[in-house]
Amino acid sequence: MKNHERDQRQQLPENQALEAAIEQYFVDVTSRCPYGMDQQAIYHQGMCGRLDDRTMGSFLAQGYRRNGNAMYNMRCPGCSLCVPIRIRPEQFTANRNQRRVLKKNRDVVAGVAPLTMSRENLNLLESFLTTRFPESNNHAEGYYTGFFITSITRCFEIRYRVGEQLIGVAVVDGAPGWLNAVYFYFDPEQSWRSPGTMNILYLLNFCRNQQIDLLYLGYWIKDLGGMDYKKHFRPHELLVDGSWQLKR
């Protein structure tokens, strides 16, 4: 039996026990679909206190995501398009296009830093939101205070610069066994760099260097431009019907 299959089977009872224990603290919250689908979305979510690394890892392994101090998953009636996706960094091999992205980003320097609501970060995020989601009426400060900043797990930023210019920021949760990609925003004028791909490639390299076993990328949504590119990182695993399925 392969190591990851054995690990998954061993972790399954623990995940099921956790879900049964916490269900009473979760509620369904109805909202507009964040991915533009023509139906209401239902967030199954609960507020959490401080979570240890193992418990947070169990949440991620069940397909939960983090929003501020809440953990949630999507339970939208008649829709199952949001599919959790993760990668085992030691198995990943870059394809030709991803190698091209690395080449054209050779001038980018990445640095790990504390999660910071600095004016530089806010200006970049505001530009990103205004350009990518002009009708959303979202604001940078609200993203940091309501979405990024948390007390339930360790969160930090990876900042990408060309010279002194900040061109992108990845917000991530981290532990020795896993890395959770919470959000990534970038300078819209740097879109030619394929910054989303660049960021995932860096996160994979970071995981390798730190000997982190799993990189969680959030949701993959088939044929949705801003999400579909994640499928090109192979092999990857998709959480389907309660189990992680390997896709080569």
Side-chain angles (χ1 to χ4, degrees):
M1 184 185 299
K2 295 180 181 179
N3 289 338
H4 71 270
E5 293 173 343
R6 182 174 62 249
D7 292 344
Q8 182 168 318
R9 291 189 182 182
Q10 290 174 344
Q11 193 175 28
L12 185 59
E14 178 181 317
N15 292 344
Q16 292 172 337
L18 173 65
E19 188 161 21
I22 65 174
E23 183 62 27
Q24 61 182 313
Y25 303 109
F26 277 65
V27 297
D28 290 338
V29 178
T30 302
S31 176
R32 182 178 62 182
C33 176
Y35 305 113
M37 304 302 172
D38 190 22
Q39 66 176 63
Q40 286 188 321
I42 294 181
Y43 292 81
H44 187 66
Q45 68 180 41
M47 299 299 293
C48 298
R50 183 74 181 180
L51 302 176
D52 60 57
D53 294 342
R54 187 178 182 89
T55 302
M56 184 69 178
S58 293
F59 269 116
L60 295 171
Q62 292 176 83
Y64 282 83
R65 305 298 301 152
R66 181 181 70 75
N67 182 352
N69 287 332
M71 299 300 297
Y72 73 93
N73 60 22
M74 306 303 294
R75 296 193 178 180
C76 309
C79 181
S80 57
L81 291 177
C82 291
V83 181
I85 181 172
R86 72 184 186 186
I87 302 175
R88 295 181 182 271
E90 79 281 0
Q91 298 178 355
F92 170 74
T93 301
N95 62 27
R96 181 185 303 176
N97 179 66
Q98 290 158 352
R99 291 194 296 270
R100 283 199 295 263
V101 171
L102 286 173
K103 186 175 181 179
K104 67 183 178 182
N105 285 285
R106 287 179 298 184
D107 57 337
V108 176
V109 176
V112 177
L115 186 70
T116 306
M117 198 167 66
S118 67
R119 178 47 53 190
E120 182 183 38
N121 283 17
L122 291 174
N123 287 344
L124 182 62
L125 178 54
E126 197 70 44
S127 176
F128 174 81
L129 294 173
T130 300
T131 303
R132 298 293 291 258
F133 310 105
E135 299 178 0
S136 66
N137 199 32
N138 291 320
H139 298 287
E141 289 190 12
Y143 262 61
Y144 265 88
T145 58
F147 182 12
F148 301 162
I149 294 174
T150 181
S151 62
I152 66 176
T153 191
R154 287 171 291 187
C155 186
F156 58 95
E157 294 179 348
I158 297 173
R159 301 173 188 165
Y160 300 98
R161 295 185 183 275
V162 176
E164 296 298 317
Q165 181 185 1
L166 183 68
I167 67 165
V169 176
V171 179
V172 295
D173 300 331
W178 51 262
L179 196 73
N180 175 40
V182 176
Y183 199 78
F184 175 64
Y185 61 92
F186 57 88
D187 182 348
E189 294 185 0
Q190 301 292 323
S191 295
W192 62 272
R193 293 180 177 273
S194 304
T197 297
M198 175 200 72
N199 174 55
I200 293 178
L201 290 169
Y202 178 83
L203 294 181
L204 286 164
N205 188 57
F206 179 87
C207 287
R208 285 199 188 104
N209 290 339
Q210 301 297 321
Q211 298 182 320
I212 295 172
D213 295 331
L214 292 166
L215 171 61
Y216 287 91
L217 295 180
Y219 291 123
W220 167 68
I221 300 177
K222 184 179 180 180
D223 298 329
L224 184 65
M227 309 283 277
D228 196 47
Y229 75 101
K230 297 177 184 180
K231 73 180 181 184
H232 298 297
F233 291 85
R234 293 181 178 270
H236 60 253
E237 298 176 13
L238 301 177
L239 185 62
V240 179
D241 296 329
S243 65
W244 289 98
Q245 300 182 8
L246 182 64
K247 305 293 182 180
R248 296 191 180 276

